[in-house]
Amino acid sequence: MKLLTRDTDYAVRALIFIGKANKRKIGIITVDEIVRSLNLPKALLRKLLQTLSKNKILKSGRGKHGGFSLLKDPGKINVSDIISIFQGPVDFTNCLLRNEPCPNRKVCRVRKKILSLSGYVDRELKKITLSSLT
Amino acid sequence: MKLLTRDTDYAVRALIFIGKANKRKIGIITVDEIVRSLNLPKALLRKLLQTLSKNKILKSGRGKHGGFSLLKDPGKINVSDIISIFQGPVDFTNCLLRNEPCPNRKVCRVRKKILSLSGYVDRELKKITLSSLT
DNA sequence: CCTTAATGATACTATTTTAGTATCATTATA
DNA sequence: TATAATGATACTAAAATAGTATCATTAAGG
Ligand code: FES
Ligand code: FES
């Protein structure tokens, strides 16, 4: 039972790399540089970073000397965000009777339990920020 | 991001059904009865119940008047058990650098965080017993 | 015994999600 | 204007999930 897919994992690793570089005042990082350091499949990583750009996690520059840098403060980027982007929001409340419109949804204690569990996990994942990782 | 696959979901629903029947002193339930009540695909449900038997959750009887009943006390069957059977154990510690043997595994705070999160989720899921569901 | 009604074992197919590739278009710099 | 970067997009491959089919075995009951 895994929590993160490979997309999320690669994305986080790339973000850590970019975050570290930004810390050392290296403003812009290219896909090639990340690939050289982390040994990830280039075509895939490009796709992932493009997705992160669309989702306002990264800023991108095109053309010669283009590349990526963090758009937000590393303290404001967290694992829950990245999961949301690649795997959908952290939400476990696909209830056990999901196919039928569960009759006792409102009072069901299980649902309440799963709901609170899900909330807890999400809050904890939100605490794992990029700055805590670099 | 979902927590339960359909296998787990179906299995839990079937177990709830069997548990309720057992409560009413109906000892043995057939796959057909469950299928009639819950409208699940029969061939699939058979496979799932067979798996539950192999895993000592259900007791099965063959031949005429055969069927399934709970092997363990419903208070001792929980959602974590069922997830373990169909999705592998509740364990989120596929670490972020999983491909390499992560150098700082021992001291990594993220790993510790994920580890404790995973433990927490597992403990909570263990509290959701079949008896709490019926 | 023989029929019937149940699960056991197992192999197979189909669908969906995840993982990964390829290509052309666009843009900025030198 | 050549080059080196990302944007957009469409495609393929692999793995996990979901579902089916079939024959073997077993127990009950006439
Ligand atoms: S199982 Fe659906 S609300 Fe409880
Ligand atoms: S990321 Fe692997 S141990 Fe921290």
Side-chain angles (χ1 to χ4, degrees), chain B residues 27-113:
Chain B
I28 287 187
I29 303 296
T30 67
V31 169
D32 279 303
E33 289 169 317
I34 301 174
V35 163
R36 272 196 295 277
S37 284
L38 304 184
N39 254 278
L40 304 178
K42 176 172 174 178
L44 178 55
L45 190 60
R46 281 194 64 206
K47 195 173 63 172
L48 301 180
L49 296 192
Q50 284 183 17
T51 303
L52 290 173
S53 284
K54 278 183 195 152
N55 284 278
K56 312 285 184 195
I57 304 289
L58 291 176
K59 181 166 55 184
S60 76
R62 307 220 274 186
K64 214 169 199 175
H65 299 170
F68 297 92
S69 59
L70 297 183
L71 181 57
K72 309 205 298 189
D73 185 292
K76 294 192 170 148
I77 300 171
N78 62 65
V79 172
S80 168
D81 295 337
I82 312 307
I83 290 179
S84 289
I85 291 169
F86 293 105
Q87 310 181 53
V90 175
D91 176 9
F92 296 163
T93 55
N94 281 329
C95 90
L96 288 168
L97 304 165
R98 68 187 139 202
N99 293 326
E100 305 106 78
C102 186
N104 51 330
R105 228 181 134 83
K106 277 191 184 152
V107 292
C108 177
R109 281 177 304 143
V110 188
R111 200 183 128 78
K112 288 215 180 90
K113 221 166 194 175

Side-chain angles (χ1 to χ4, degrees), chain A residues 95-98 102-106 108-111, chain B residues 133:
Chain A
C95 90
L96 288 168
L97 304 165
R98 67 185 140 203
C102 186
N104 51 331
R105 228 181 133 83
K106 278 191 183 153
C108 178
R109 282 177 305 143
V110 188
R111 201 184 126 78
Chain B
L133 286 166

Side-chain angles (χ1 to χ4, degrees), chain A residues 45-118:
Chain A
L45 189 60
R46 280 193 64 206
K47 195 174 61 172
L48 300 180
L49 296 192
Q50 283 182 16
T51 303
L52 290 173
S53 283
K54 278 184 194 153
N55 283 278
K56 312 285 184 197
I57 304 290
L58 291 177
K59 180 167 55 184
S60 75
R62 307 220 273 187
K64 214 168 198 176
H65 300 167
F68 297 92
S69 59
L70 296 185
L71 181 57
K72 309 205 299 190
D73 184 290
K76 293 192 172 149
I77 300 171
N78 62 65
V79 172
S80 168
D81 295 337
I82 312 307
I83 290 179
S84 288
I85 291 169
F86 294 104
Q87 312 180 53
V90 175
D91 175 8
F92 296 162
T93 55
N94 280 328
C95 90
L96 288 168
L97 304 165
R98 67 185 140 203
N99 292 325
E100 305 104 81
C102 186
N104 51 331
R105 228 181 133 83
K106 278 191 183 153
V107 291
C108 178
R109 282 177 305 143
V110 188
R111 201 184 126 78
K112 287 213 181 92
K113 221 167 193 174
I114 299 267
L115 194 65
S116 88
L117 184 57
S118 179

